[in-house]
Amino acid sequence: QVQLVESGGGVVQPGRSLRLSCAASGFTFSSYGMHWVRQAPGKGLEWVAVISYDGSNKYYADSVKGRFTISRDNSKNTLYLQMNSLRAEDTAVYYCAKSMRWLRAFDAFDIWGQGTMVTVSS
Amino acid sequence: EIVLTQSPATLSLSPGERATLSCGASQSVSSSYLAWYQQKPGLAPRLLIYDASSRATGIPDRFSGSGSGTDFTLTISRLEPEDFAVYYCQQYGSSLVTFGQGTKVEIK
């Protein structure tokens, strides 16, 4: 079935780096835009970044621009989020999510992963 | 950045009642590119409505969306026990996707 599975979360010190992965299955990964969304403990949803189906276009929330990099490997059906210069306020559950319609980057998110927790603390 | 403001923050209702959730945008949402999601504790959000008024696959017809421009509404015609959750609106009409802060629908 259609599935997204995140991995790579954990506890990291402020200023350090972490890379999240999102493994996709059950659909043609290379035909859909993909997103990262985060949710701080007890808070609402915050969009983080999007990458187009072919990786040619990327957009970021102002809060992570210059520190986070979204990428994808369509040969491995995997989405990534490289997070550098981490701050306490980056502590959250990070979800990957799929754009609903074929070839669209900006769209509703019809499939979500289960999330991976990132804690930034000394 | 388009700011989405949801109201009320909390809605206290009984099963069988009608729920009306609002989402206001700071500027017009392009092509009514607005979605609604349901989230239960410990779980990922679930898409309910896209393009302001289209139900996602498998979503019961008691859920409906309406609106355009800057004012959008999610209506749950008769609340079922499984509908008590937090609901978020989201706009995807600009290159900076944004979410509302959420409305919690709780059992009265």
Side-chain angles (χ1 to χ4, degrees):
Chain A
Q1 77 276 24
V2 178
Q3 194 174 8
L4 297 171
V5 178
E6 301 96 336
S7 60
V11 180
V12 61
Q13 293 179 327
R16 304 297 290 262
S17 299
L18 203 61
R19 188 177 83 156
L20 306 182
S21 299
C22 169
S25 59
F27 65 100
T28 306
F29 179 72
S30 59
S31 294
Y32 293 90
M34 295 294 298
H35 299 254
W36 288 99
V37 177
R38 67 185 181 183
Q39 186 169 36
K43 303 297 184 183
L45 302 170
E46 180 187 16
W47 174 78
V48 172
V50 61
I51 186 168
S52 59
Y53 68 96
D54 61 356
S56 61
N57 292 292
K58 305 172 187 180
Y59 296 89
Y60 300 91
D62 290 343
S63 57
V64 306
K65 196 176 296 182
R67 299 187 301 123
F68 289 12
T69 301
I70 189 171
S71 62
R72 65 191 298 160
D73 185 335
N74 285 345
S75 68
K76 296 182 178 179
N77 291 344
T78 303
L79 175 72
Y80 302 100
L81 185 68
Q82 177 67 43
M83 304 185 293
N84 298 332
S85 303
L86 282 161
R87 306 167 179 168
E89 54 265 36
D90 296 319
T91 294
V93 174
Y94 284 74
Y95 296 100
C96 60
K98 169 188 167 289
S99 286
M100 188 175 66
R101 285 167 283 207
W102 191 59
L103 301 184
R104 289 180 58 158
F106 294 100
D107 202 356
F109 305 161
D110 64 336
I111 304 296
W112 296 64
Q114 85 288 352
T116 187
M117 183 70 203
V118 173
T119 302
V120 183
S121 173
S122 53
Chain B
E1 173 182 320
I2 297 177
V3 177
L4 299 179
T5 302
Q6 292 186 239
S7 61
T10 303
L11 200 50
S12 299
L13 295 168
S14 300
E17 290 194 292
R18 182 184 188 90
T20 302
L21 288 66
S22 296
C23 177
S26 60
Q27 55 188 282
S28 183
V29 176
S30 173
S31 302
S32 294
Y33 284 152
L34 187 115
W36 290 92
Y37 298 86
Q38 177 193 68
Q39 188 179 33
K40 296 180 179 179
L43 297 180
R46 177 175 72 144
L47 176 65
L48 300 174
I49 301 289
Y50 65 96
D51 295 351
S53 60
S54 297
R55 265 188 305 277
T57 302
I59 301 303
D61 61 7
R62 65 180 181 273
F63 291 92
S64 63
S66 63
S68 63
T70 60
D71 295 300
F72 299 88
T73 301
L74 173 70
T75 302
I76 310 171
S77 59
R78 293 174 314 279
L79 282 164
E80 297 288 339
E82 62 268 28
D83 298 337
F84 292 92
V86 178
Y87 292 82
Y88 294 94
C89 59
Q90 173 216 29
Q91 68 78 23
Y92 46 95
S94 75
S95 59
L96 284 179
V97 175
T98 51
F99 288 91
Q101 82 280 16
T103 289
K104 182 179 182 179
V105 178
E106 64 177 23
I107 300 176
K108 186 175 182 180

